[in-house]
Amino acid sequence: MFCTGIEVFIKLVLGNVVKFISYTISRKLWKYNMKQYNIVSKQRQKKRDSKERIVDFHPIYHNFNDKEAKEQASRCVQCPIDTFKHIMINPSYCRMGCPLNNKIPQWLKKTYEGDIEGAFTLSHEMSPFPEILGRVCPKKGLCESNCVIEKSEYSGVSIGEIETYFNEKAFEEGIIPNYGQDKIKKHKVAIVGSGPASLSCATFLLQEGIGVEIFEKEDRCGGLLTYGIPNFKLPKDAVKRRLDWMKEAGLIIHTNTEVGKDIFINELEKDFDCIFLGIGAPEGRSAMMDNEYANGVYHVMEILTKAQKRIFNHDFENSILKNKNVVVIGGGDSAMDALRTAIRVKAKSVKCIYRRDKQSMPCSEREVSNALEEGVEFIFNQAPKKVLVNEDMNVTGIKVAQTESMIEKETGKRKLIVHEEKLLDIKTDIIILALGFSNKIFDFYNDLNLKLGRYNDIVVNEKQETSHKHIYAGGDVVRGADLVVTAALDGRTAAYAIKEKLASKVLV
Ligand SMILES: Cc1cc2nc3c(=O)[nH]c(=O)nc-3n(C[C@H](O)[C@H](O)[C@H](O)COP(=O)(O)OP(=O)(O)OC[C@H]3O[C@@H](n4cnc5c(N)ncnc54)[C@H](O)[C@@H]3O)c2cc1C
Ligand code: SF4
C-alpha cells in the first residue's frame, strides 16, 4: 500500500514536471514555428475607450503592431487543403470562405516570417484593395468562419486584422500597388459609378494596360466606401490614397457627372470600347408606417452622407441630429452606423428599435457591442406602426407594437407575431429608416434594352456581361444590397472578361 502511494505520487509529480517542461519548450519554440493556435490565444485589435471615441469620427481600432501580428499569424496551421482540395469532399478552410479566393495561408506565413513585401504582393494578386477589405469584411460568414481552427475549441485566426496590418506597414515602407503605371494604355473602358465594384474593375483593367474613365454623380469617388461606411469603421484617407495612385497611373475621373443626366449612355457607347455599370442599389426601403413622409423622418443614407460631407468640410456643429431625440429603425450594419453617428454628433438620446430579438439581428455582434458601449439604447421585439406628428406634420414620436417569435408547428419555420393590441408610444424628434436597400430602374436602362431580374437587378452571365454587348455590370446593381468584397469580385471578373474580349477583337 505504502509503495503504491509513493509510486502514484512520483508519477503525478513527474507527469506535471514533463507537462511543464514541454509547455515551456513549446512557448519558447513558437517564436520559430507556426501552428501555435493552442498556445497563443486569439487576439483582436485593441479598441479606443468608448468615452474617448464618441467625441470624434476617427477609427476606433488600433492596428496590430509587429509583435501582435506575428503572434497572431503564428496561430495558422497552414492547412494543406489547397493541394488536396480536388480529392476532398467538402473541404473547408479560409480561402474557400473568401469570395476573392485570397491567398490567406500564404500571406499569413509571409507575415509570420516578417516578409512584409511578400505578404503585400500575394494579397494584391487576388484583391484590389486588401487593406480596405481587412477593415470592412464581416468577421463572421467569410474567411474567419471557414478557418478550421474556428471549428475547434480554439478561435480562428484574426485574418482581417493581419491583412490590414501588413498592407499598412508596406505603405509606410513606401511600397505602392501595381496599377500598370509603366504600361501604355490601349483601348478605353467607361465605368459608371465609383463604388468598390467599379474601383475593382478599374484596378484590374489598369494593371492590364487598358485605359479607364470613371463617371461618378457625386462630388467624390468611392460610392458607399466614401458616403456609406462611416469614417470610424473605414478611414476615408484609405480610399483617397487608392484613388490618388490610380489617377497617377492614368485613371481619368469625372465627378459630378451623372450618366443619363449630365452625359448620355449612347455617347459613352460611341466613345468607349466597353462600359462597366457599378451604380449600386440606392433605393431605401420603406417601413410602411402611417405618416412616414412627415418632417423628421429620414432614410439612413441621407444621414450618413450628410455626416460624411460635414466631416470633409470640417463642420462638426450643424448636424440635424444634434440635441435631438433620435430613433433608428432596423437591425443591420447600416442601422448600427446611423446610431453610432447620432451619438457622435451629440444627439440627446439614441434608441434602436428592432422587431425581433437581439440574437436575430443581421448586423455583426461586434457592432452591437460597440453601439452599446457608446451609449445606444436597444428596444427589441417592437414593430413600427405609425409616425406620431403634430399639426405641422413634425415628428413627435413613434407608435410600436409588441412582437413575438414563434415556430410554426406545421412548417417548423420561424414566424413573427405582431400583437396589434400591445401598443407603445415612444417620444422622439427624428426617425431614421435603416431597413435595407432595393435596386432602382435607371432611365438609361431603356436606351440599352437591358434584361432585368425580378428585383430590378441587372441580369449578367458568369463573366458579368449584360444582355447588351460590350456592357458589363457588377456589385449591388446585380446582386442587390450585398458586400464590398462581392462587389470587388464582380469588378475583377468583369475586368478579366473585358480584357479577353478586347484581346480577341470581338469588338466591331
Ligand atoms: C451604411 C452602409 C454600411 C455598410 N457597411 C459595410 C461593411 O461594413 N462591410 C461590407 O462589406 N459592406 C458594407 N456595406 C455594403 C457595401 O457598402 C455595398 O455592398 C458596396 O458598396 C456595393 O458596391 P457597388 O460598387 O456595387 O455600389 P456603391 O458603393 O453603391 O457605388 C455606386 C456608385 O455609383 C454612383 N452612381 C449611381 N448612379 C450613377 C449614375 N447614373 N451616374 C454616375 N454615377 C452613378 C453612386 O453615386 C455611387 O458612388 C454597407 C452599406 C451601407 C449602406
Ligand atoms: S483555415 Fe485557418 S488555419 Fe487553415 S490556413 Fe486558413 S487561416 Fe490558417
mmCIF file with all atom_site columns, all heavy atoms in Angstrom, residues 100 123-131 133 177 179 196 199-201 203-204 207 242 485 488-489 492:
data_model
loop_
_atom_site.group_PDB
_atom_site.id
_atom_site.type_symbol
_atom_site.label_atom_id
_atom_site.label_alt_id
_atom_site.label_comp_id
_atom_site.label_asym_id
_atom_site.label_entity_id
_atom_site.label_seq_id
_atom_site.pdbx_PDB_ins_code
_atom_site.Cartn_x
_atom_site.Cartn_y
_atom_site.Cartn_z
_atom_site.occupancy
_atom_site.B_iso_or_equiv
_atom_site.pdbx_formal_charge
_atom_site.auth_seq_id
_atom_site.auth_comp_id
_atom_site.auth_asym_id
_atom_site.auth_atom_id
_atom_site.pdbx_PDB_model_num
ATOM 1   N N   . LEU A 1 100 ? -12.982 36.273 -52.974 1.00 0.00 ? 100 LEU A N   1
ATOM 2   C CA  . LEU A 1 100 ? -11.871 36.576 -53.898 1.00 0.00 ? 100 LEU A CA  1
ATOM 3   C C   . LEU A 1 100 ? -10.851 35.441 -53.957 1.00 0.00 ? 100 LEU A C   1
ATOM 4   O O   . LEU A 1 100 ? -9.882  35.514 -54.707 1.00 0.00 ? 100 LEU A O   1
ATOM 5   C CB  . LEU A 1 100 ? -11.158 37.859 -53.453 1.00 0.00 ? 100 LEU A CB  1
ATOM 6   C CG  . LEU A 1 100 ? -11.960 39.156 -53.553 1.00 0.00 ? 100 LEU A CG  1
ATOM 7   C CD1 . LEU A 1 100 ? -11.246 40.283 -52.832 1.00 0.00 ? 100 LEU A CD1 1
ATOM 8   C CD2 . LEU A 1 100 ? -12.190 39.540 -55.009 1.00 0.00 ? 100 LEU A CD2 1
ATOM 9   N N   . SER A 1 123 ? -1.195  39.290 -51.399 1.00 0.00 ? 123 SER A N   1
ATOM 10  C CA  . SER A 1 123 ? -2.580  39.723 -51.134 1.00 0.00 ? 123 SER A CA  1
ATOM 11  C C   . SER A 1 123 ? -3.121  40.535 -52.309 1.00 0.00 ? 123 SER A C   1
ATOM 12  O O   . SER A 1 123 ? -4.318  40.507 -52.592 1.00 0.00 ? 123 SER A O   1
ATOM 13  C CB  . SER A 1 123 ? -2.684  40.513 -49.832 1.00 0.00 ? 123 SER A CB  1
ATOM 14  O OG  . SER A 1 123 ? -2.203  41.813 -49.975 1.00 0.00 ? 123 SER A OG  1
ATOM 15  N N   . HIS A 1 124 ? -2.220  41.239 -53.022 1.00 0.00 ? 124 HIS A N   1
ATOM 16  C CA  . HIS A 1 124 ? -2.676  42.038 -54.170 1.00 0.00 ? 124 HIS A CA  1
ATOM 17  C C   . HIS A 1 124 ? -2.921  41.195 -55.421 1.00 0.00 ? 124 HIS A C   1
ATOM 18  O O   . HIS A 1 124 ? -3.486  41.699 -56.392 1.00 0.00 ? 124 HIS A O   1
ATOM 19  C CB  . HIS A 1 124 ? -1.678  43.162 -54.473 1.00 0.00 ? 124 HIS A CB  1
ATOM 20  C CG  . HIS A 1 124 ? -1.899  44.359 -53.597 1.00 0.00 ? 124 HIS A CG  1
ATOM 21  N ND1 . HIS A 1 124 ? -1.446  44.419 -52.301 1.00 0.00 ? 124 HIS A ND1 1
ATOM 22  C CD2 . HIS A 1 124 ? -2.564  45.518 -53.817 1.00 0.00 ? 124 HIS A CD2 1
ATOM 23  C CE1 . HIS A 1 124 ? -1.803  45.571 -51.767 1.00 0.00 ? 124 HIS A CE1 1
ATOM 24  N NE2 . HIS A 1 124 ? -2.496  46.254 -52.667 1.00 0.00 ? 124 HIS A NE2 1
ATOM 25  N N   . GLU A 1 125 ? -2.510  39.942 -55.412 1.00 0.00 ? 125 GLU A N   1
ATOM 26  C CA  . GLU A 1 125 ? -2.783  39.105 -56.597 1.00 0.00 ? 125 GLU A CA  1
ATOM 27  C C   . GLU A 1 125 ? -4.282  38.893 -56.779 1.00 0.00 ? 125 GLU A C   1
ATOM 28  O O   . GLU A 1 125 ? -4.788  38.838 -57.885 1.00 0.00 ? 125 GLU A O   1
ATOM 29  C CB  . GLU A 1 125 ? -2.099  37.739 -56.439 1.00 0.00 ? 125 GLU A CB  1
ATOM 30  C CG  . GLU A 1 125 ? -0.639  37.781 -56.825 1.00 0.00 ? 125 GLU A CG  1
ATOM 31  C CD  . GLU A 1 125 ? 0.015   36.436 -56.684 1.00 0.00 ? 125 GLU A CD  1
ATOM 32  O OE1 . GLU A 1 125 ? -0.667  35.389 -56.825 1.00 0.00 ? 125 GLU A OE1 1
ATOM 33  O OE2 . GLU A 1 125 ? 1.229   36.424 -56.401 1.00 0.00 ? 125 GLU A OE2 1
ATOM 34  N N   . MET A 1 126 ? -5.004  38.764 -55.669 1.00 0.00 ? 126 MET A N   1
ATOM 35  C CA  . MET A 1 126 ? -6.428  38.432 -55.773 1.00 0.00 ? 126 MET A CA  1
ATOM 36  C C   . MET A 1 126 ? -7.331  39.603 -55.408 1.00 0.00 ? 126 MET A C   1
ATOM 37  O O   . MET A 1 126 ? -8.508  39.604 -55.736 1.00 0.00 ? 126 MET A O   1
ATOM 38  C CB  . MET A 1 126 ? -6.781  37.262 -54.829 1.00 0.00 ? 126 MET A CB  1
ATOM 39  C CG  . MET A 1 126 ? -5.871  36.067 -54.905 1.00 0.00 ? 126 MET A CG  1
ATOM 40  S SD  . MET A 1 126 ? -5.650  35.442 -56.575 1.00 0.00 ? 126 MET A SD  1
ATOM 41  C CE  . MET A 1 126 ? -7.052  34.389 -56.756 1.00 0.00 ? 126 MET A CE  1
ATOM 42  N N   . SER A 1 127 ? -6.806  40.558 -54.659 1.00 0.00 ? 127 SER A N   1
ATOM 43  C CA  . SER A 1 127 ? -7.671  41.597 -54.080 1.00 0.00 ? 127 SER A CA  1
ATOM 44  C C   . SER A 1 127 ? -7.291  42.986 -54.591 1.00 0.00 ? 127 SER A C   1
ATOM 45  O O   . SER A 1 127 ? -6.105  43.322 -54.629 1.00 0.00 ? 127 SER A O   1
ATOM 46  C CB  . SER A 1 127 ? -7.537  41.546 -52.552 1.00 0.00 ? 127 SER A CB  1
ATOM 47  O OG  . SER A 1 127 ? -8.238  42.616 -51.976 1.00 0.00 ? 127 SER A OG  1
ATOM 48  N N   . PRO A 1 128 ? -8.283  43.814 -54.947 1.00 0.00 ? 128 PRO A N   1
ATOM 49  C CA  . PRO A 1 128 ? -7.963  45.151 -55.448 1.00 0.00 ? 128 PRO A CA  1
ATOM 50  C C   . PRO A 1 128 ? -7.580  46.143 -54.348 1.00 0.00 ? 128 PRO A C   1
ATOM 51  O O   . PRO A 1 128 ? -6.924  47.118 -54.606 1.00 0.00 ? 128 PRO A O   1
ATOM 52  C CB  . PRO A 1 128 ? -9.265  45.583 -56.122 1.00 0.00 ? 128 PRO A CB  1
ATOM 53  C CG  . PRO A 1 128 ? -10.331 44.816 -55.426 1.00 0.00 ? 128 PRO A CG  1
ATOM 54  C CD  . PRO A 1 128 ? -9.721  43.521 -54.992 1.00 0.00 ? 128 PRO A CD  1
ATOM 55  N N   . PHE A 1 129 ? -8.047  45.914 -53.115 1.00 0.00 ? 129 PHE A N   1
ATOM 56  C CA  . PHE A 1 129 ? -7.733  46.855 -52.021 1.00 0.00 ? 129 PHE A CA  1
ATOM 57  C C   . PHE A 1 129 ? -7.797  46.102 -50.684 1.00 0.00 ? 129 PHE A C   1
ATOM 58  O O   . PHE A 1 129 ? -8.713  46.305 -49.877 1.00 0.00 ? 129 PHE A O   1
ATOM 59  C CB  . PHE A 1 129 ? -8.678  48.073 -52.018 1.00 0.00 ? 129 PHE A CB  1
ATOM 60  C CG  . PHE A 1 129 ? -10.062 47.814 -52.601 1.00 0.00 ? 129 PHE A CG  1
ATOM 61  C CD1 . PHE A 1 129 ? -10.965 46.998 -51.957 1.00 0.00 ? 129 PHE A CD1 1
ATOM 62  C CD2 . PHE A 1 129 ? -10.440 48.399 -53.803 1.00 0.00 ? 129 PHE A CD2 1
ATOM 63  C CE1 . PHE A 1 129 ? -12.229 46.765 -52.488 1.00 0.00 ? 129 PHE A CE1 1
ATOM 64  C CE2 . PHE A 1 129 ? -11.699 48.166 -54.355 1.00 0.00 ? 129 PHE A CE2 1
ATOM 65  C CZ  . PHE A 1 129 ? -12.598 47.334 -53.689 1.00 0.00 ? 129 PHE A CZ  1
ATOM 66  N N   . PRO A 1 130 ? -6.769  45.223 -50.448 1.00 0.00 ? 130 PRO A N   1
ATOM 67  C CA  . PRO A 1 130 ? -6.820  44.357 -49.261 1.00 0.00 ? 130 PRO A CA  1
ATOM 68  C C   . PRO A 1 130 ? -6.886  45.088 -47.927 1.00 0.00 ? 130 PRO A C   1
ATOM 69  O O   . PRO A 1 130 ? -7.523  44.596 -46.990 1.00 0.00 ? 130 PRO A O   1
ATOM 70  C CB  . PRO A 1 130 ? -5.529  43.529 -49.357 1.00 0.00 ? 130 PRO A CB  1
ATOM 71  C CG  . PRO A 1 130 ? -4.705  44.125 -50.428 1.00 0.00 ? 130 PRO A CG  1
ATOM 72  C CD  . PRO A 1 130 ? -5.591  44.936 -51.297 1.00 0.00 ? 130 PRO A CD  1
ATOM 73  N N   . GLU A 1 131 ? -6.243  46.263 -47.821 1.00 0.00 ? 131 GLU A N   1
ATOM 74  C CA  . GLU A 1 131 ? -6.262  46.974 -46.526 1.00 0.00 ? 131 GLU A CA  1
ATOM 75  C C   . GLU A 1 131 ? -7.661  47.510 -46.229 1.00 0.00 ? 131 GLU A C   1
ATOM 76  O O   . GLU A 1 131 ? -8.021  47.699 -45.071 1.00 0.00 ? 131 GLU A O   1
ATOM 77  C CB  . GLU A 1 131 ? -5.211  48.100 -46.506 1.00 0.00 ? 131 GLU A CB  1
ATOM 78  C CG  . GLU A 1 131 ? -5.570  49.390 -47.233 1.00 0.00 ? 131 GLU A CG  1
ATOM 79  C CD  . GLU A 1 131 ? -5.653  49.269 -48.758 1.00 0.00 ? 131 GLU A CD  1
ATOM 80  O OE1 . GLU A 1 131 ? -5.444  48.168 -49.297 1.00 0.00 ? 131 GLU A OE1 1
ATOM 81  O OE2 . GLU A 1 131 ? -5.954  50.277 -49.425 1.00 0.00 ? 131 GLU A OE2 1
ATOM 82  N N   . LEU A 1 133 ? -10.542 45.858 -47.403 1.00 0.00 ? 133 LEU A N   1
ATOM 83  C CA  . LEU A 1 133 ? -11.349 44.658 -47.098 1.00 0.00 ? 133 LEU A CA  1
ATOM 84  C C   . LEU A 1 133 ? -11.000 44.103 -45.721 1.00 0.00 ? 133 LEU A C   1
ATOM 85  O O   . LEU A 1 133 ? -11.874 43.607 -45.001 1.00 0.00 ? 133 LEU A O   1
ATOM 86  C CB  . LEU A 1 133 ? -11.160 43.612 -48.196 1.00 0.00 ? 133 LEU A CB  1
ATOM 87  C CG  . LEU A 1 133 ? -11.775 44.051 -49.535 1.00 0.00 ? 133 LEU A CG  1
ATOM 88  C CD1 . LEU A 1 133 ? -11.346 43.155 -50.671 1.00 0.00 ? 133 LEU A CD1 1
ATOM 89  C CD2 . LEU A 1 133 ? -13.294 44.088 -49.445 1.00 0.00 ? 133 LEU A CD2 1
ATOM 90  N N   . PRO A 1 177 ? 1.021   49.874 -54.811 1.00 0.00 ? 177 PRO A N   1
ATOM 91  C CA  . PRO A 1 177 ? 0.415   48.785 -55.595 1.00 0.00 ? 177 PRO A CA  1
ATOM 92  C C   . PRO A 1 177 ? 0.631   48.957 -57.098 1.00 0.00 ? 177 PRO A C   1
ATOM 93  O O   . PRO A 1 177 ? 0.833   50.077 -57.569 1.00 0.00 ? 177 PRO A O   1
ATOM 94  C CB  . PRO A 1 177 ? -1.071  48.889 -55.270 1.00 0.00 ? 177 PRO A CB  1
ATOM 95  C CG  . PRO A 1 177 ? -1.191  49.827 -54.139 1.00 0.00 ? 177 PRO A CG  1
ATOM 96  C CD  . PRO A 1 177 ? 0.028   50.672 -54.088 1.00 0.00 ? 177 PRO A CD  1
ATOM 97  N N   . TYR A 1 179 ? -0.537  49.445 -60.605 1.00 0.00 ? 179 TYR A N   1
ATOM 98  C CA  . TYR A 1 179 ? -1.684  49.896 -61.409 1.00 0.00 ? 179 TYR A CA  1
ATOM 99  C C   . TYR A 1 179 ? -1.262  50.033 -62.869 1.00 0.00 ? 179 TYR A C   1
ATOM 100 O O   . TYR A 1 179 ? -1.761  50.899 -63.579 1.00 0.00 ? 179 TYR A O   1
ATOM 101 C CB  . TYR A 1 179 ? -2.212  51.232 -60.876 1.00 0.00 ? 179 TYR A CB  1
ATOM 102 C CG  . TYR A 1 179 ? -3.017  51.096 -59.593 1.00 0.00 ? 179 TYR A CG  1
ATOM 103 C CD1 . TYR A 1 179 ? -2.565  51.622 -58.399 1.00 0.00 ? 179 TYR A CD1 1
ATOM 104 C CD2 . TYR A 1 179 ? -4.242  50.433 -59.593 1.00 0.00 ? 179 TYR A CD2 1
ATOM 105 C CE1 . TYR A 1 179 ? -3.298  51.491 -57.230 1.00 0.00 ? 179 TYR A CE1 1
ATOM 106 C CE2 . TYR A 1 179 ? -4.981  50.301 -58.430 1.00 0.00 ? 179 TYR A CE2 1
ATOM 107 C CZ  . TYR A 1 179 ? -4.510  50.831 -57.252 1.00 0.00 ? 179 TYR A CZ  1
ATOM 108 O OH  . TYR A 1 179 ? -5.247  50.699 -56.107 1.00 0.00 ? 179 TYR A OH  1
ATOM 109 N N   . PRO A 1 196 ? -16.972 50.192 -54.788 1.00 0.00 ? 196 PRO A N   1
ATOM 110 C CA  . PRO A 1 196 ? -15.957 49.134 -54.819 1.00 0.00 ? 196 PRO A CA  1
ATOM 111 C C   . PRO A 1 196 ? -15.996 48.259 -56.068 1.00 0.00 ? 196 PRO A C   1
ATOM 112 O O   . PRO A 1 196 ? -14.946 47.812 -56.535 1.00 0.00 ? 196 PRO A O   1
ATOM 113 C CB  . PRO A 1 196 ? -16.250 48.317 -53.563 1.00 0.00 ? 196 PRO A CB  1
ATOM 114 C CG  . PRO A 1 196 ? -17.571 48.773 -53.065 1.00 0.00 ? 196 PRO A CG  1
ATOM 115 C CD  . PRO A 1 196 ? -17.790 50.148 -53.571 1.00 0.00 ? 196 PRO A CD  1
ATOM 116 N N   . LEU A 1 199 ? -14.209 50.412 -58.667 1.00 0.00 ? 199 LEU A N   1
ATOM 117 C CA  . LEU A 1 199 ? -12.778 50.598 -58.376 1.00 0.00 ? 199 LEU A CA  1
ATOM 118 C C   . LEU A 1 199 ? -12.010 49.301 -58.582 1.00 0.00 ? 199 LEU A C   1
ATOM 119 O O   . LEU A 1 199 ? -10.862 49.303 -59.031 1.00 0.00 ? 199 LEU A O   1
ATOM 120 C CB  . LEU A 1 199 ? -12.581 51.120 -56.945 1.00 0.00 ? 199 LEU A CB  1
ATOM 121 C CG  . LEU A 1 199 ? -13.150 52.516 -56.673 1.00 0.00 ? 199 LEU A CG  1
ATOM 122 C CD1 . LEU A 1 199 ? -12.803 52.983 -55.268 1.00 0.00 ? 199 LEU A CD1 1
ATOM 123 C CD2 . LEU A 1 199 ? -12.646 53.537 -57.696 1.00 0.00 ? 199 LEU A CD2 1
ATOM 124 N N   . SER A 1 200 ? -12.651 48.188 -58.287 1.00 0.00 ? 200 SER A N   1
ATOM 125 C CA  . SER A 1 200 ? -12.004 46.889 -58.525 1.00 0.00 ? 200 SER A CA  1
ATOM 126 C C   . SER A 1 200 ? -11.828 46.657 -60.021 1.00 0.00 ? 200 SER A C   1
ATOM 127 O O   . SER A 1 200 ? -10.750 46.268 -60.487 1.00 0.00 ? 200 SER A O   1
ATOM 128 C CB  . SER A 1 200 ? -12.858 45.776 -57.895 1.00 0.00 ? 200 SER A CB  1
ATOM 129 O OG  . SER A 1 200 ? -12.365 44.521 -58.252 1.00 0.00 ? 200 SER A OG  1
ATOM 130 N N   . CYS A 1 201 ? -12.881 46.932 -60.794 1.00 0.00 ? 201 CYS A N   1
ATOM 131 C CA  . CYS A 1 201 ? -12.806 46.750 -62.248 1.00 0.00 ? 201 CYS A CA  1
ATOM 132 C C   . CYS A 1 201 ? -11.690 47.647 -62.809 1.00 0.00 ? 201 CYS A C   1
ATOM 133 O O   . CYS A 1 201 ? -10.840 47.193 -63.588 1.00 0.00 ? 201 CYS A O   1
ATOM 134 C CB  . CYS A 1 201 ? -14.160 47.089 -62.854 1.00 0.00 ? 201 CYS A CB  1
ATOM 135 S SG  . CYS A 1 201 ? -14.247 46.744 -64.609 1.00 0.00 ? 201 CYS A SG  1
ATOM 136 N N   . THR A 1 203 ? -9.071  48.821 -61.279 1.00 0.00 ? 203 THR A N   1
ATOM 137 C CA  . THR A 1 203 ? -7.758  48.333 -60.835 1.00 0.00 ? 203 THR A CA  1
ATOM 138 C C   . THR A 1 203 ? -7.219  47.260 -61.777 1.00 0.00 ? 203 THR A C   1
ATOM 139 O O   . THR A 1 203 ? -6.099  47.343 -62.273 1.00 0.00 ? 203 THR A O   1
ATOM 140 C CB  . THR A 1 203 ? -7.875  47.738 -59.410 1.00 0.00 ? 203 THR A CB  1
ATOM 141 O OG1 . THR A 1 203 ? -8.298  48.774 -58.547 1.00 0.00 ? 203 THR A OG1 1
ATOM 142 C CG2 . THR A 1 203 ? -6.573  47.147 -58.917 1.00 0.00 ? 203 THR A CG2 1
ATOM 143 N N   . PHE A 1 204 ? -8.043  46.241 -62.023 1.00 0.00 ? 204 PHE A N   1
ATOM 144 C CA  . PHE A 1 204 ? -7.549  45.108 -62.821 1.00 0.00 ? 204 PHE A CA  1
ATOM 145 C C   . PHE A 1 204 ? -7.423  45.485 -64.309 1.00 0.00 ? 204 PHE A C   1
ATOM 146 O O   . PHE A 1 204 ? -6.596  44.913 -65.006 1.00 0.00 ? 204 PHE A O   1
ATOM 147 C CB  . PHE A 1 204 ? -8.424  43.871 -62.585 1.00 0.00 ? 204 PHE A CB  1
ATOM 148 C CG  . PHE A 1 204 ? -8.238  43.318 -61.192 1.00 0.00 ? 204 PHE A CG  1
ATOM 149 C CD1 . PHE A 1 204 ? -9.168  43.559 -60.185 1.00 0.00 ? 204 PHE A CD1 1
ATOM 150 C CD2 . PHE A 1 204 ? -7.100  42.607 -60.865 1.00 0.00 ? 204 PHE A CD2 1
ATOM 151 C CE1 . PHE A 1 204 ? -8.979  43.087 -58.885 1.00 0.00 ? 204 PHE A CE1 1
ATOM 152 C CE2 . PHE A 1 204 ? -6.885  42.127 -59.568 1.00 0.00 ? 204 PHE A CE2 1
ATOM 153 C CZ  . PHE A 1 204 ? -7.830  42.370 -58.580 1.00 0.00 ? 204 PHE A CZ  1
ATOM 154 N N   . GLN A 1 207 ? -4.115  47.496 -64.515 1.00 0.00 ? 207 GLN A N   1
ATOM 155 C CA  . GLN A 1 207 ? -2.985  46.554 -64.423 1.00 0.00 ? 207 GLN A CA  1
ATOM 156 C C   . GLN A 1 207 ? -2.693  45.897 -65.764 1.00 0.00 ? 207 GLN A C   1
ATOM 157 O O   . GLN A 1 207 ? -1.564  45.535 -66.066 1.00 0.00 ? 207 GLN A O   1
ATOM 158 C CB  . GLN A 1 207 ? -3.281  45.464 -63.388 1.00 0.00 ? 207 GLN A CB  1
ATOM 159 C CG  . GLN A 1 207 ? -3.108  45.928 -61.970 1.00 0.00 ? 207 GLN A CG  1
ATOM 160 C CD  . GLN A 1 207 ? -3.475  44.858 -60.947 1.00 0.00 ? 207 GLN A CD  1
ATOM 161 O OE1 . GLN A 1 207 ? -3.823  43.724 -61.292 1.00 0.00 ? 207 GLN A OE1 1
ATOM 162 N NE2 . GLN A 1 207 ? -3.414  45.220 -59.690 1.00 0.00 ? 207 GLN A NE2 1
ATOM 163 N N   . ARG A 1 242 ? -5.879  55.270 -52.467 1.00 0.00 ? 242 ARG A N   1
ATOM 164 C CA  . ARG A 1 242 ? -6.006  54.371 -53.632 1.00 0.00 ? 242 ARG A CA  1
ATOM 165 C C   . ARG A 1 242 ? -6.320  55.182 -54.892 1.00 0.00 ? 242 ARG A C   1
ATOM 166 O O   . ARG A 1 242 ? -5.739  54.955 -55.943 1.00 0.00 ? 242 ARG A O   1
ATOM 167 C CB  . ARG A 1 242 ? -7.147  53.366 -53.398 1.00 0.00 ? 242 ARG A CB  1
ATOM 168 C CG  . ARG A 1 242 ? -6.805  52.287 -52.408 1.00 0.00 ? 242 ARG A CG  1
ATOM 169 C CD  . ARG A 1 242 ? -6.278  51.069 -53.118 1.00 0.00 ? 242 ARG A CD  1
ATOM 170 N NE  . ARG A 1 242 ? -5.582  50.178 -52.209 1.00 0.00 ? 242 ARG A NE  1
ATOM 171 C CZ  . ARG A 1 242 ? -4.752  49.225 -52.598 1.00 0.00 ? 242 ARG A CZ  1
ATOM 172 N NH1 . ARG A 1 242 ? -4.504  49.012 -53.875 1.00 0.00 ? 242 ARG A NH1 1
ATOM 173 N NH2 . ARG A 1 242 ? -4.162  48.447 -51.726 1.00 0.00 ? 242 ARG A NH2 1
ATOM 174 N N   . VAL A 1 485 ? -16.794 43.050 -50.554 1.00 0.00 ? 485 VAL A N   1
ATOM 175 C CA  . VAL A 1 485 ? -15.943 42.015 -51.155 1.00 0.00 ? 485 VAL A CA  1
ATOM 176 C C   . VAL A 1 485 ? -16.598 41.359 -52.382 1.00 0.00 ? 485 VAL A C   1
ATOM 177 O O   . VAL A 1 485 ? -15.906 41.035 -53.357 1.00 0.00 ? 485 VAL A O   1
ATOM 178 C CB  . VAL A 1 485 ? -15.515 40.961 -50.091 1.00 0.00 ? 485 VAL A CB  1
ATOM 179 C CG1 . VAL A 1 485 ? -16.675 40.122 -49.595 1.00 0.00 ? 485 VAL A CG1 1
ATOM 180 C CG2 . VAL A 1 485 ? -14.431 40.047 -50.643 1.00 0.00 ? 485 VAL A CG2 1
ATOM 181 N N   . ALA A 1 488 ? -16.201 43.720 -55.164 1.00 0.00 ? 488 ALA A N   1
ATOM 182 C CA  . ALA A 1 488 ? -14.816 43.658 -55.653 1.00 0.00 ? 488 ALA A CA  1
ATOM 183 C C   . ALA A 1 488 ? -14.631 42.450 -56.576 1.00 0.00 ? 488 ALA A C   1
ATOM 184 O O   . ALA A 1 488 ? -13.952 42.526 -57.605 1.00 0.00 ? 488 ALA A O   1
ATOM 185 C CB  . ALA A 1 488 ? -13.857 43.574 -54.478 1.00 0.00 ? 488 ALA A CB  1
ATOM 186 N N   . LEU A 1 489 ? -15.245 41.336 -56.218 1.00 0.00 ? 489 LEU A N   1
ATOM 187 C CA  . LEU A 1 489 ? -15.148 40.127 -57.059 1.00 0.00 ? 489 LEU A CA  1
ATOM 188 C C   . LEU A 1 489 ? -15.764 40.386 -58.436 1.00 0.00 ? 489 LEU A C   1
ATOM 189 O O   . LEU A 1 489 ? -15.163 40.062 -59.467 1.00 0.00 ? 489 LEU A O   1
ATOM 190 C CB  . LEU A 1 489 ? -15.866 38.955 -56.369 1.00 0.00 ? 489 LEU A CB  1
ATOM 191 C CG  . LEU A 1 489 ? -16.054 37.708 -57.231 1.00 0.00 ? 489 LEU A CG  1
ATOM 192 C CD1 . LEU A 1 489 ? -14.710 37.062 -57.537 1.00 0.00 ? 489 LEU A CD1 1
ATOM 193 C CD2 . LEU A 1 489 ? -16.976 36.693 -56.545 1.00 0.00 ? 489 LEU A CD2 1
ATOM 194 N N   . ARG A 1 492 ? -13.560 42.493 -60.579 1.00 0.00 ? 492 ARG A N   1
ATOM 195 C CA  . ARG A 1 492 ? -12.392 41.727 -61.065 1.00 0.00 ? 492 ARG A CA  1
ATOM 196 C C   . ARG A 1 492 ? -12.797 40.807 -62.218 1.00 0.00 ? 492 ARG A C   1
ATOM 197 O O   . ARG A 1 492 ? -12.127 40.759 -63.249 1.00 0.00 ? 492 ARG A O   1
ATOM 198 C CB  . ARG A 1 492 ? -11.815 40.913 -59.901 1.00 0.00 ? 492 ARG A CB  1
ATOM 199 C CG  . ARG A 1 492 ? -10.513 40.218 -60.231 1.00 0.00 ? 492 ARG A CG  1
ATOM 200 C CD  . ARG A 1 492 ? -10.008 39.380 -59.060 1.00 0.00 ? 492 ARG A CD  1
ATOM 201 N NE  . ARG A 1 492 ? -10.749 38.122 -58.930 1.00 0.00 ? 492 ARG A NE  1
ATOM 202 C CZ  . ARG A 1 492 ? -10.550 37.229 -57.954 1.00 0.00 ? 492 ARG A CZ  1
ATOM 203 N NH1 . ARG A 1 492 ? -9.642  37.468 -57.019 1.00 0.00 ? 492 ARG A NH1 1
ATOM 204 N NH2 . ARG A 1 492 ? -11.246 36.104 -57.901 1.00 0.00 ? 492 ARG A NH2 1
#
